[in-house]
Amino acid sequence: MNLSAALSILFVASASAFVPAGTVRTSVPLYAGSNQNPFGNTASLEYTGGSDPNNKNYGKLAEKLNEADIERRKIQEEADRRERAAEIRREERLAKIKYMNDMPDSQPAGTVDEFMFKEGVQDQLDKLDNDLVGLLAVKKRVKEIAALLVLDKMRRKLGFETSVPSLHMSFTGAPGTGKTTVAVRMGQILAKMGYARRGHVVLATRDDLVGQYVGHTAPKTKEMIKKAMGGVLLVDEAYYLYNAANDRDYGQESIEILLNVMENNQDDLVVAVAGYKDRMDKFFSYIPGMMSRIGNHIDFPNYTADELVKIAGVMSRDLEYDIDEAAFATFKNYIEARMELPFFSNARTVRNAMDRARMNSAIRTFERYAIQGENGGMCSVADLKNIDADDFQVLLDDILNADTDKRIFA
């Protein structure tokens, strides 16, 4: 045993000599409880979230990797889908090119008359000729549009590339020149050819499209557009939508909505704007986007006196009245006098005159058979259908005998 070991034994023995008798030594744990973790009662490496409000942005690594893998698979599936669709389109295009190349130029495509009658287009054009007197330039333009639609449908039947032509229209002319009638016929032609689902015509003015306060215009305009979908929206006196003197006018919002619909929904809605030519030209100068979206501009000239007399004949035919030649001569004199006065409205003036002539005929017949008791009060069918010169002479006398400031009411 060396010296250092002996000294260590001696010191321990000496310390033990000073311990009181009966003292028992025990070991006391440094930390009470079953968990000897000094940092809490849970595993020291387990994440409990804490109180940081940004904790919701964190997650387990496995979950994040799984989410990223799912998103990556979705992106890949979408890319594969697009590639398959593109491949199908390429195959269809190649097949179509081969079909067109193999097709001889002598391949029968059907006759134009077959499509005109089968689709009912010729019937609508015939009605246009019967309903409208004169307006040869207008009818010619309508027939040109119909020809485009018919030939386009024949091309589609054979497989040629086609696209929906710009069918938005501008009708310019004075009141009563047939703008609404032409719009109705065009809507029916478009429906017959499959360019419109319904072919109806919705007539709108500024009051129908523009609101009176902020947030009111958009719902009104969209409601009218919704009503016209599948047909024709005819905006009469469209220039009232824009007020150049007021930058805060709500009409501009309606115009912007119409322009957007004309561009994006031209395959389901035809917009036609109508009004006086000079005012429409000024309106287009303010709104060039409207002008560029309209492919068909049709001008409606004023009727001549002879044409207005023919219109009266058409109206009497539709109402099943008979007008003799002397009555037509008197009516022409009335129309020539009325054309010199303000607020003349072409066919509308004729319609008003015909209504008054019918009333005069009714008064005359009632006087003869009901008041005077002629023929025992028994009138004939001819009496009920007759409009004679005296019935129109009353209108002419109203103009000739009325004061200058009251002649416009004659």
Side-chain angles (χ1 to χ4, degrees):
M1 182 181 293
N2 55 25
L3 179 60
S4 60
L7 289 175
S8 297
I9 294 172
L10 178 62
F11 289 152
V12 172
S14 298
S16 299
F18 293 97
V19 176
T23 301
V24 179
R25 292 184 298 173
T26 61
S27 62
V28 179
L30 182 60
Y31 302 104
S34 60
N35 186 5
Q36 296 301 306
N37 184 356
F39 300 103
N41 294 327
T42 58
S44 61
L45 295 180
E46 182 179 346
Y47 177 71
T48 59
S51 60
D52 189 344
N54 293 321
N55 285 338
K56 62 182 180 181
N57 296 327
Y58 307 122
K60 293 183 177 181
L61 180 60
E63 295 176 354
K64 295 299 182 182
L65 291 175
N66 186 44
E67 291 175 0
D69 186 51
I70 294 174
E71 185 65 25
R72 191 161 47 249
R73 285 200 304 270
K74 289 181 178 180
I75 294 174
Q76 184 61 42
E77 290 173 358
E78 180 63 22
D80 294 341
R81 187 192 66 78
R82 289 196 299 268
E83 185 176 352
R84 287 195 301 271
E87 182 62 28
I88 292 173
R89 288 194 297 270
R90 283 194 294 269
E91 291 176 357
E92 291 176 348
R93 178 64 178 170
L94 292 175
K96 184 175 183 178
I97 292 175
K98 183 179 183 303
Y99 171 76
M100 300 302 293
N101 290 334
D102 295 342
M103 181 190 300
D105 292 338
S106 59
Q107 171 77 21
T111 65
V112 176
D113 286 343
E114 177 186 352
F115 277 81
M116 292 285 285
F117 284 100
K118 180 180 178 181
E119 304 297 339
V121 176
Q122 188 62 51
D123 180 57
Q124 296 301 322
L125 294 178
D126 292 340
K127 288 182 179 179
L128 192 65
D129 282 332
N130 293 330
D131 294 345
L132 286 182
V133 174
L135 299 180
L136 297 181
V138 174
K139 294 177 182 177
K140 180 175 179 293
R141 183 59 174 159
V142 172
K143 291 178 181 178
E144 291 171 350
I145 296 174
L148 170 63
L149 300 182
V150 170
L151 271 296
D152 187 68
K153 191 159 189 177
M154 295 178 70
R155 286 172 53 89
R156 273 190 294 171
K157 183 178 179 180
L158 290 176
F160 285 99
E161 286 291 335
T162 61
S163 62
V164 178
S166 176
L167 297 173
H168 302 308
M169 305 174 190
S170 170
F171 298 156
T172 55
T177 51
K179 298 185 292 294
T180 303
T181 301
V182 171
V184 171
R185 290 287 170 259
M186 282 304 306
Q188 292 169 344
I189 291 174
L190 295 176
K192 296 290 185 182
M193 296 303 301
Y195 288 92
R197 290 183 288 110
R198 300 165 62 189
H200 65 302
V201 176
V202 175
L203 180 63
T205 62
R206 176 187 168 92
D207 291 340
D208 300 310
L209 299 172
V210 181
Q212 301 297 320
Y213 50 85
V214 176
H216 191 208
T217 295
K220 291 189 70 173
T221 302
K222 292 178 180 178
E223 179 64 24
M224 293 303 297
I225 291 173
K226 182 179 179 180
K227 290 180 180 179
M229 276 296 178
V232 178
L233 175 62
L234 177 60
V235 184
D236 196 19
E237 296 183 314
Y239 33 76
Y240 286 129
L241 292 178
Y242 183 77
N243 186 357
N246 185 2
D247 294 337
R248 305 179 69 179
D249 183 70
Y250 300 134
Q252 182 64 41
E253 182 180 1
S254 179
I255 293 173
E256 292 174 358
I257 295 174
L258 286 174
L259 292 176
N260 184 59
V261 172
M262 291 171 70
E263 184 68 26
N264 298 328
N265 298 87
Q266 61 177 339
D267 57 340
D268 198 32
L269 177 67
V270 175
V271 176
V273 293
Y276 289 101
K277 182 172 176 54
D278 55 343
R279 298 184 185 180
M280 290 300 297
D281 291 342
K282 191 174 182 179
F283 172 69
F284 288 139
S285 69
Y286 288 132
I287 314 293
M290 182 75 74
M291 179 73 171
S292 62
R293 285 172 172 80
I294 294 177
N296 302 284
H297 295 265
I298 304 176
D299 184 49
F300 291 71
N302 289 322
Y303 289 104
T304 65
D306 290 333
E307 289 174 337
L308 293 171
V309 172
K310 292 180 180 178
I311 290 175
V314 171
M315 291 182 178
S316 66
R317 179 200 66 197
D318 293 341
L319 294 171
E320 297 183 339
Y321 277 90
D322 294 330
I323 302 178
D324 56 38
E325 292 300 323
F328 276 122
T330 305
F331 179 75
K332 183 177 180 180
N333 293 334
Y334 163 76
I335 283 295
E336 290 175 342
R338 182 64 183 86
M339 292 174 71
E340 301 297 326
L341 301 178
F343 310 114
F344 179 73
S345 299
N346 291 280
R348 292 180 188 171
T349 299
V350 174
R351 182 182 60 196
N352 294 337
M354 285 297 300
D355 288 342
R356 288 196 59 193
R358 290 169 54 205
M359 182 177 66
N360 294 336
S361 174
I363 293 173
R364 175 173 49 79
T365 303
F366 186 83
E367 176 72 22
R368 287 177 58 191
Y369 296 100
I371 304 300
Q372 299 178 3
E374 183 178 329
N375 196 28
M378 182 68 66
C379 62
S380 65
V381 174
D383 293 323
L384 297 178
K385 296 176 62 178
N386 181 55
I387 295 178
D388 60 23
D390 291 338
D391 299 327
F392 289 119
Q393 187 64 44
V394 175
L395 280 65
L396 181 58
D397 291 341
D398 286 344
I399 292 180
L400 298 178
N401 300 328
D403 296 334
T404 304
D405 57 343
K406 295 181 179 180
R407 286 183 178 177
I408 59 174
F409 301 107

